[in-house]
Amino acid sequence: MKVLKFQKKGEFEVAAAKPMTLQERILQIDHIQARRFAKLQGEAVDIASEGIIRHLRACAKMDVNPDASAVREIIDDALNGRRVFAETSNDLLAA
C-alpha cells in the first residue's frame, strides 16, 4: 500500500487514518492495561473511559506519547470509584 503519492511540487496525498476504538488505542499503549480495561464493568468503565480520553487528548495537545503508568492509575482509580480529573463547565478553568 502506498502511503504517499506525489502530485505537484509540495502537494501529496496521505492515506486516511482508520478510526479505532478506545480498547484498540489502549492496546497500542500497553497490552496489560488493555486487558484490565476490558474487564471493567458498570460505572468503572465510564470513569476510566473519560479519564483515559482526557489523558489521550492532553498528550496529543502536548505532542507526547501517552504514559502506560497514567493509564494504569486511571484504571485503578476507576475501580475504586474515584475520578482523577476535575469536572468543570468552563474549559479555561480546567487548565
Side-chain angles (χ1 to χ4, degrees):
M1 178 178 113
K2 274 189 183 176
V3 175
L4 298 176
K5 179 182 173 188
F6 293 97
Q7 294 176 342
K8 295 180 184 176
K9 187 176 181 181
E11 293 182 12
F12 54 90
E13 288 181 14
V14 179
K18 175 189 141 221
M20 71 174 52
T21 65
L22 182 58
Q23 177 70 32
E24 292 171 336
R25 184 63 182 108
I26 297 170
L27 184 60
Q28 287 181 340
I29 298 168
D30 185 36
H31 70 281
I32 295 170
Q33 302 314 316
R35 282 196 312 245
R36 293 181 70 220
F37 180 79
K39 293 177 185 177
L40 295 178
Q41 297 178 352
E43 181 78 17
V45 174
D46 297 335
I47 294 171
S49 296
E50 192 169 353
I52 293 169
I53 289 169
R54 285 176 180 241
H55 176 66
L56 293 174
R57 284 183 182 156
C59 290
K61 184 177 179 181
M62 301 291 286
D63 196 26
V64 295
N65 291 326
D67 187 22
S69 62
V71 173
R72 185 192 73 238
E73 277 190 45
I74 292 167
I75 292 171
D76 288 345
D77 288 341
L79 287 168
N80 293 324
R82 289 190 309 246
R83 295 183 188 270
V84 293
F85 45 86
E87 296 216 12
T88 62
S89 60
N90 187 352
D91 289 337
L92 295 175
L93 296 176

